[in-house]
Amino acid sequence: MNYDEIEQLLAKYHWILESHSPLNISSEDGEHRASNFAAEVVIEYFALLDSSDNEEEKDDLMNRFKLIE
C-alpha cells in the first residue's frame, strides 16, 4: 500500500496521515495519535475492516476498535 492509498484509507475512517518518516497518524479530532509500529497496526486494522464484505463483521471490528481507544 502506498502513501496515497494509506491517506485515502485513513480518511475513510476519519484519521489523518501526518508524516511518513517517522510514521505518524491522528484522528481528525486530534483526540487519538499513533506513531511508527502503533500507526502500522491502526492502518492494518482499517485495511482489514475495509476488506470485509460482511456488514455484521465490519460492525463488530469497528466496535472492538472503539473499545481499544
Side-chain angles (χ1 to χ4, degrees):
M1 188 179 300
N2 65 40
Y3 287 117
D4 289 334
E5 293 169 327
I6 291 171
E7 283 182 293
Q8 290 173 4
L9 179 65
L10 290 171
K12 184 174 184 176
Y13 296 100
H14 308 285
W15 280 66
I16 300 165
L17 177 63
E18 294 180 339
S19 66
H20 301 156
S21 182
L23 182 59
N24 289 303
I25 63 175
S26 67
S27 58
E28 287 178 348
D29 62 9
E31 191 172 333
H32 304 287
R33 298 184 164 286
S35 297
N36 299 317
F37 180 71
E40 290 178 31
V41 170
V42 171
I43 292 165
E44 287 299 319
Y45 193 86
F46 287 148
L48 174 65
L49 183 64
D50 205 47
S51 69
S52 176
D53 293 331
N54 182 322
E55 287 303 316
E56 189 173 308
E57 182 179 79
K58 281 185 175 185
D59 288 343
D60 182 51
L61 288 170
M62 199 59 184
N63 287 333
R64 287 182 194 193
F65 183 74
K66 288 177 182 176
L67 290 174
I68 294 169
E69 292 181 332

